[in-house]
């Protein structure tokens, strides 16, 4: 093989160039995102522990929301605080409407109002979306019902209503309540009510209440056979007949019939 001295010269030149390429020259551009020494102030991880069970054997709202499926379709007692209450006047009244005018509209058409209901939580600050919905709460007869029904045809325990300003303690079934009140409720824990309110997390169909804040408790229902006592209709059937007489229309049937006239 012939000797090529120029090839050695090129090789030496390349080797001589390598040290000249310093470390800084071989690095690419620096990253735009740089590490920071600032430590983020993250919120505390919320606790998932269950509140202590009440000593009276009742349930907490959080217990029912977390693991209440096994209690569905049973009667239970719940202890808590009222966090929201439905008020028809507030819901119906228009922005520029006088209070007296709104009340008159409600008196003329009670169907503007929804059924009485409220929410309870484990404490006064529980948001409504984490509270338990309580439905079928007794309410006073409205003026149209009183106008179209004689007193003898109004039966509080059957209608789940009470006379306005009722003085008989045995018939005072409409509970007093306000947001913030501490209460103990008994009712049926279900996902739907007899009047089609629905909640997949469960709701409580009201049966009785003890308002600890207002020192009030539901009266005991009359004994079986009492014409004024509760006499619910069979599931899916017509209204049950009161002893000694045929089935009678509900207060709402009477109101609806008055409208048609």
């Amino acid at each position: 093989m012939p000797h090529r001295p120029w090839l050695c010269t090129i090789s030496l030149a390349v080797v001589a160039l390598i040290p000249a390429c310093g470390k800084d020259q071989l690095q690419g551009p620096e990253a735009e995102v740089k590490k920071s020494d600032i430590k983020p102030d993250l919120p505390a991880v919320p606790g998932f522990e269950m509140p202590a069970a009440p000593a009276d054997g009742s349930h907490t709202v959080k217990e029912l929301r977390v693991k209440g499926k096994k209690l569905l379709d049973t009667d239970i007692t719940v202890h808590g605080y009222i966090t929201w209450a439905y008020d028809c006047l507030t819901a119906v009244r228009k922005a520029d409407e006088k209070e007296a005018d709104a009340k008159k509209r409600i008196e003329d058409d009670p169907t503007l109002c929804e059924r009485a209901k409220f929410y309870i939580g484990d404490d006064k600050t529980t948001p409504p979306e984490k509270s338990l919905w309580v439905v079928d709460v007794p309410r006073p007869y409205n003026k149209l019902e009183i106008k179209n029904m004689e007193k003898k045809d109004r039966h509080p325990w059957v209608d789940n209503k009470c006379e306005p300003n009722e003085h008989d303690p045995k018939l005072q079934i409409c509970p007093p309540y306000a947001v913030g009140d501490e209460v103990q409720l008994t009712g049926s824990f279900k996902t739907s009510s007899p009047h089609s309110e629905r909640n997949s997390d469960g709701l409580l169909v009201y049966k009785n209440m003890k308002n600890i804040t207002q020192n009030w408790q539901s009266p005991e229902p009359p004994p079986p056979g009492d014409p004024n006592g509760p006499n619910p209709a069979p599931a899916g059937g017509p209204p049950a007949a009161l002893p000694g007489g045929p089935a009678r229309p509900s207060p709402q049937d009477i109101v609806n019939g008055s409208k048609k006239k």
Side-chain angles (χ1 to χ4, degrees):
M1 179 178 179
H3 178 67
R4 297 182 177 88
W6 57 268
L7 190 60
C8 294
T9 304
I10 294 174
S11 300
L12 291 172
V14 171
V15 172
L17 287 173
I18 291 176
C21 299
K23 182 178 179 182
D24 293 340
Q25 292 177 322
L26 295 177
Q27 284 185 337
E30 294 186 5
E32 295 182 3
V33 179
K34 297 182 179 180
K35 293 183 179 179
S36 173
D37 294 331
I38 300 175
K39 295 182 180 180
D41 185 14
L42 299 175
V45 178
F48 293 95
E49 62 278 0
M50 299 297 295
D56 56 14
S58 60
H59 300 276
T60 65
V61 173
K62 188 170 185 178
E63 176 193 359
L64 296 176
R65 289 178 55 84
V66 173
K67 53 180 182 180
K69 298 294 184 183
K70 63 183 180 180
L71 296 172
L72 284 172
D73 300 317
T74 64
D75 286 356
I76 60 171
T77 299
V78 188
H79 177 272
Y81 297 83
I82 295 179
T83 58
W84 176 87
Y86 174 74
D87 178 67
C88 181
L89 180 61
T90 301
V92 169
R93 187 179 178 184
K94 299 176 182 178
D96 58 347
E97 187 177 24
K98 294 181 179 179
E99 182 175 329
D101 294 337
K103 288 182 177 180
K104 182 64 167 56
R105 284 198 300 120
I106 293 171
E107 290 174 3
D108 293 341
D109 184 8
T111 61
L112 292 172
C113 297
E114 298 179 15
R115 295 181 180 276
K117 57 195 164 214
F118 55 80
Y119 294 158
I120 65 168
D122 288 323
D123 57 59
K124 296 179 181 180
T125 61
T126 303
E129 63 271 17
K130 293 185 178 180
S131 300
L132 176 67
W133 190 8
V134 182
V135 300
D136 276 15
V137 181
R139 64 159 177 84
Y141 289 102
N142 58 52
K143 288 190 175 182
L144 198 55
E145 290 168 339
I146 293 174
K147 177 181 177 181
N148 294 313
M149 297 176 67
E150 295 185 23
K151 179 69 180 291
K152 64 181 179 64
D153 293 324
R154 301 197 295 266
H155 298 274
W157 285 100
V158 180
D159 303 331
N160 202 36
K161 299 179 178 72
C162 63
E163 299 290 336
N165 303 314
E166 177 63 71
H167 298 295
D168 186 348
K170 295 180 180 179
L171 298 177
Q172 292 175 352
I173 67 171
C174 296
Y177 57 88
V179 173
D181 284 356
E182 182 181 5
V183 296
Q184 183 173 290
L185 289 143
T186 298
S188 297
F189 187 52
K190 297 178 175 292
T191 55
S192 63
S193 77
H195 298 102
S196 299
E197 294 101 340
R198 298 180 184 278
N199 191 318
S200 59
D201 290 329
L203 51 78
L204 192 73
V205 181
Y206 179 102
K207 286 195 172 181
N208 61 64
M209 183 175 90
K210 179 180 181 181
N211 190 319
I212 299 169
T213 300
Q214 300 196 33
N215 193 28
W216 181 92
Q217 186 161 356
S218 298
E220 290 293 327
D226 190 312
N228 290 317
N231 190 27
L242 291 172
R248 62 188 182 83
S250 69
Q252 191 59 53
D253 291 335
I254 294 175
V255 171
N256 292 340
S258 174
K259 286 184 180 180
K260 292 178 181 179
K261 294 178 182 179

